[in-house]
Amino acid sequence: MSIGAAAAERVRVTTNLGAFVIELQRDRAPLTVENFLNYVRAGHYTNTIFHRVIASFVIQGGGVDIDYKPKISQKPIPNESGNGLKNLRGTVGLARAAGPHTGDCQFYVNVADNADLDPLPTRWGYAVFGKVVEGMEVVDRISISPTGAAGPLKGDAPLQQVIIQKVELLADSSAPAASKGTAAEPPPADAPANPAAPPAGATPSPALPSGSGDAAAGATPPKPQ
């Protein structure tokens, strides 16, 4: 079945540097898409920031407000990284802490192809649940923001805040022509199976150390070495 076979769900992320549109891929990441939309409907992302920006890697936000305080999140969800969607440039994934099933409200946009975030037979990956279909130039603009320490964040934080003013579900959700007829990749046969239910767990800390693989903490995808 092609992604364009049914009306695509899309959201617009409006920031103080411009807006971009994400097409959600519910057919491959139903739990992650519904989790994200629950936060969108609740207005959770209004006046949050992209608190972690690394050029040629990712921009990440949704869990820290403009006062650098962590937003209250709902319980974590199961990891859907074995859905066949890869962390390619322009795709959107769910950030998490060190444990595989710790993703909640934080999301990231891949600014480059990041194969290190995909699952392997020996480890979990980071679940892709959408892709940017409009405004990738805005994502690129955010990704080259000068960064450093800000508030309690020790690094990779934009020195001039990049504020998410709102995230809204678009009423006109028809897929753009460029994305129609694109077949989704089948899940890799050796990817870890998704669990039936999420484990109990604490909200990931907004502290953002760099790391590699599942050793990365602070609800962040790992930084490739």
Side-chain angles (χ1 to χ4, degrees), residues 82 121 186-193:
D190 52 4

Side-chain angles (χ1 to χ4, degrees), residues 6-220:
E9 295 171 287
R10 295 189 295 166
V11 299
R12 179 183 291 114
V13 180
T14 302
T15 80
N16 59 331
L17 293 183
F20 58 92
V21 175
I22 302 170
E23 180 178 298
L24 305 174
Q25 295 179 262
R26 187 185 288 272
D27 59 332
R28 284 305 174 92
L31 298 176
T32 312
V33 166
E34 189 57 30
N35 174 74
F36 178 68
L37 287 179
N38 283 340
Y39 286 109
V40 170
R41 296 182 190 110
H44 172 94
Y45 296 118
T46 299
N47 290 328
T48 58
I49 60 174
F50 281 104
H51 60 274
R52 185 176 189 240
V53 168
I54 303 176
S56 301
F57 182 43
V58 300
I59 65 171
Q60 180 178 330
V64 179
D65 69 18
I66 59 176
D67 295 319
Y68 298 100
K69 295 179 180 177
K71 294 274 290 187
I72 296 174
S73 60
Q74 303 301 313
K75 66 181 181 180
I77 65 168
N79 188 322
E80 292 185 301
S81 63
N83 61 13
L85 299 176
K86 299 185 181 300
N87 281 275
L88 302 176
R89 171 174 161 80
T91 58
V92 181
L94 187 68
R96 60 173 172 83
H101 313 298
T102 53
D104 46 45
C105 61
Q106 293 192 30
F107 65 95
Y108 63 93
V109 182
N110 286 296
V111 183
D113 292 350
N114 290 316
D116 285 354
L117 305 185
D118 294 333
L120 293 174
T122 55
R123 63 164 171 80
W124 290 85
Y126 292 79
V128 171
F129 64 93
K131 59 184 177 180
V132 174
V133 293
E134 296 176 23
M136 191 62 194
E137 70 278 4
V138 174
V139 175
D140 288 333
R141 189 180 308 139
I142 295 170
S143 76
I144 59 173
S145 299
T147 60
L153 306 176
K154 296 181 180 179
D156 297 328
L159 299 179
Q160 298 262 336
Q161 283 190 338
V162 181
I163 300 171
I164 300 174
Q165 297 167 332
K166 61 181 176 179
V167 181
E168 56 191 329
L169 183 63
L170 298 179
D172 178 12
S173 59
S174 57
S179 69
K180 291 182 179 179
T182 304
E185 298 178 49
D190 52 4
N194 290 328
T203 301
S205 165
L208 302 171
S210 297
S212 177
D214 281 348
T220 67

